[in-house]
Amino acid sequence: MRIRRSTMLLLAAPLVLLLTAAYGQWAIAGLPALPVPPTIGNGTTEPSGFPAWLRITHYVNFLFLILLIRSGLQILMDHPRLYWNVHCTPGTEWLRLTPIKVPKDRLWTAKDDSRYLSPWIGLPGYRHTIGMARHWHFLSVLFWVGNGSIFFLLLFSTDQWKRLVPRSWQIVPDAWAVFVHYATFHLPPEPNGFYHYNALQQLAYFGVVFILAPLAIFSGPSMSPTLTNRFTWYPKLPGNRQIGRSLHFLVMCAFVVFLVGHVTMVAIAGFTRNMNHIVVGTNDTRLTGLYFGLVGMGVIIAVNAMANWMAWRHPRLLQHVAKAIVSPVMRFLLDRPAPRAEFRREDISPFLWANGKLPTCKAWKSLEANQFKEYRLKVSGLVEHPAELSLDELRTLGKKMQITLHHCIQGWSGIAAWSGLPMAELIQLVRPGPTATAVVFYSFGEGVAIHEGVVGSRYYDTLSLENALNSQTLLAYEMNYQPLNNLHGAPLRLRVENQLGFKMVKWIESIEFVEDVQSIGKGEGGFAEDHEYFGELASI
Ligand SMILES: Nc1nc2c(c(=O)[nH]1)N[C@H]1C(S)=C(S)[C@@H](COP(=O)(O)O)O[C@H]1N2
Ligand SMILES: [Mo]
């Protein structure tokens, strides 16, 4: 693991400054006076105790946060590098969770670069299990956000918000006084959390609920190709797509730091009483809360074990559950916006990661040996005019150039210029019939599924006819103003800028218009969907 020194300093500086200031104050002026807790029970309208809805949402939140963190780490380890720049040039990462330096003398694909993660930490663990990890991540996020929304609504429709939301700027000096105590290892007397929190505690909870959680929610979609390539202002909020990704990771780190601190403080400041507060809602020191709390922890561990087991043993089921629950929501949120972001020539990435295995079949090799002069793109299926088109014919049919941002499911991105025939033009030429709803792109190349070891079955993917008609859906024959090279898909590859990279079939051999994709391959919509259990929606 390697973290860039400047970033490390940037992240550590605030903490060091705060600690130095706290120690300085203690050494020079002594411990500051602590705020006097307000008196309880003389007819004030302050909330006391934790109602059932709050205890339940607190627990559900914890459950899904753990699933989110574990699946998130698994997704990260599929491209274990974090950058501040959108190009993901090897060597520019600020955090590298792999010992590997990208070799320059041989092909090193982004998939080669994915790392093993222990199933105790990652959900589901192992290497390149990003398909399953994403299903758990997206399933969890729906429930986490749903639960959070209920919490939010109830918080403000009762007086419980008064616990969290500071009502006077006095909270800042008060929290500082508490911090100076903690930082110099002088545990201050803790107020009874049944009635109110100490100032620092209140600020921390406020920060987690009203800053960290929204940051997690809003930095997530900044990684979506559909969103970023339609609403260019969105990734600019954090800066760019990779800053959004880095921020999403840092927010996760902040959650972990909070969790550790929170649990430690709850344990130090009267564990049995605190457990009764948040588990059973009473304010005494019997062991009920502790016992039920242990059962609750057991359930969380069981759910996590079940989540791993389901991903390893029943990946297809998991994929289909996600399809039933996640896809409708995603479709509603992300299916309509057509991509339109364009970049400038200066923005083109110096290096674009590659994925996929160069075709090894005779057909492609002999075409390649003759600069693809004999190449004929076969277009068939439910069309009025099936066609076989040479590269020259494709060129004369139409040429559109677009400089766009590529998003791989693994997390890396890069900008390149692509020129090719818009799919819309081809569709006009071949005229699909009224029953055609999807387009299949077959590659000359074989797919590689790391944990299944499937090599030998051909790579393919599908698009809805509707998406094929978008103006940024191209059959590209040029990249960065040169004929497409072998690595990036010669002679012809797909570009579809509102989707993740795995949809963009390289080394295209033929195209087929079909009524539905279930009869193709294993019926999931593509090689990666069939063998790596990727979700059929690739818009985030
Ligand atoms: N035939 C084929 N096409 C493929 C793949 C593959 O493995 N085989 N990988 C896909 C993935 S996962 C990505 S991210 C992009 C990468 O395109 P690039 O290598 O030009 O960057 O190609 C896509 N097209
Ligand atoms: Mo990818």
Side-chain angles (χ1 to χ4, degrees), residues 72-87:
L73 286 172
Q74 188 73 54
I75 295 169
L76 175 67
M77 290 314 270
D78 225 60
H79 187 71
R81 303 165 189 270
L82 289 169
Y83 318 80
W84 301 123
N85 71 81
V86 81
H87 311 292

Side-chain angles (χ1 to χ4, degrees), residues 102 113 187 193 200 225 251 278 281 342 347 365 381 492-493 506:
V102 176
D113 202 51
L187 275 190
L200 186 61
V251 167
I278 201 62
E342 300 246 6
D347 300 325
K365 278 187 170 165
L492 198 64
R493 65 135 351 132
K506 305 200 286 188

Side-chain angles (χ1 to χ4, degrees), residues 330-347:
M330 290 244 246
R331 208 170 270 133
F332 172 74
L333 292 175
L334 293 172
D335 236 20
R336 272 159 303 172
R340 61 183 193 195
E342 300 246 6
F343 295 78
R344 296 163 308 167
R345 209 175 162 141
E346 310 84 276
D347 300 325

Side-chain angles (χ1 to χ4, degrees), residues 48-306:
S48 74
F50 299 92
W53 64 262
L54 196 150
R55 287 179 271 131
I56 294 168
T57 48
H58 177 261
Y59 177 73
V60 172
N61 178 68
F62 180 56
L63 168 70
F64 286 110
L65 200 58
I66 296 292
L67 292 173
L68 282 167
I69 291 172
R70 294 185 59 231
S71 53
L73 286 172
Q74 188 73 54
I75 295 169
L76 175 67
M77 290 314 270
D78 225 60
H79 187 71
R81 303 165 189 270
L82 289 169
Y83 318 80
W84 301 123
N85 71 81
V86 81
H87 311 292
C88 304
T89 319
T92 65
E93 49 287 70
W94 69 263
L95 180 69
R96 179 150 68 78
L97 299 166
T98 164
I100 287 167
K101 283 209 169 149
V102 176
K104 292 210 165 90
D105 54 335
R106 66 197 154 99
L107 175 59
W108 182 253
T109 66
K111 262 191 204 174
D112 292 330
D113 202 51
S114 69
R115 295 295 290 184
Y116 168 90
L117 185 61
S118 160
W120 291 96
I121 300 172
L123 170 56
Y126 301 100
R127 185 161 167 247
H128 192 58
T129 47
I130 188 171
M132 277 83 91
R134 278 166 54 96
H135 293 316
W136 277 118
H137 205 68
F138 293 139
L139 279 168
S140 301
V141 84
L142 291 185
F143 290 98
W144 185 69
V145 170
N147 180 66
S149 310
I150 295 171
F151 168 82
F152 197 83
L153 282 177
L154 288 169
L155 192 71
F156 285 102
S157 50
T158 62
D159 59 0
Q160 285 288 337
W161 65 271
K162 293 180 180 171
R163 281 178 178 283
L164 292 188
V165 184
R167 278 168 286 164
S168 135
W169 284 105
Q170 184 58 33
I171 185 117
V172 178
D174 285 355
W176 177 253
V178 178
F179 178 74
V180 175
H181 278 75
Y182 286 156
T184 56
F185 295 99
H186 296 89
L187 275 190
E190 293 291 345
N192 183 341
F194 201 71
Y195 301 104
H196 64 97
Y197 303 137
N198 83 41
L200 186 61
Q201 189 182 13
Q202 186 182 3
L203 263 193
Y205 294 176
F206 177 80
V208 166
V209 172
F210 295 101
I211 298 173
L212 271 193
L215 268 180
I217 292 168
F218 291 114
S219 57
S222 75
M223 290 178 267
S224 149
T226 302
L227 268 177
T228 62
N229 281 339
R230 168 61 182 79
F231 304 103
T232 42
W233 54 269
Y234 198 82
K236 283 194 189 130
L237 292 179
N240 66 46
R241 198 263 182 203
Q242 289 301 328
I243 298 178
R245 176 168 176 258
S246 295
L247 189 64
H248 203 61
F249 168 78
L250 289 171
V251 167
M252 183 278 295
C253 295
F255 266 114
V256 172
V257 169
F258 170 78
L259 268 177
V260 172
H262 179 50
V263 172
T264 312
M265 289 311 297
V266 162
I268 292 177
F271 198 34
T272 38
R273 185 183 289 274
N274 281 332
M275 286 302 277
N276 283 337
H277 291 169
I278 201 62
V279 178
V280 285
T282 60
N283 183 26
D284 54 48
T285 51
R286 279 174 294 178
L287 294 176
T288 346
L290 213 56
Y291 287 145
F292 279 105
L294 276 179
V295 174
M297 278 305 295
V299 170
I300 288 179
I301 292 170
V303 168
N304 275 274
M306 183 277 298

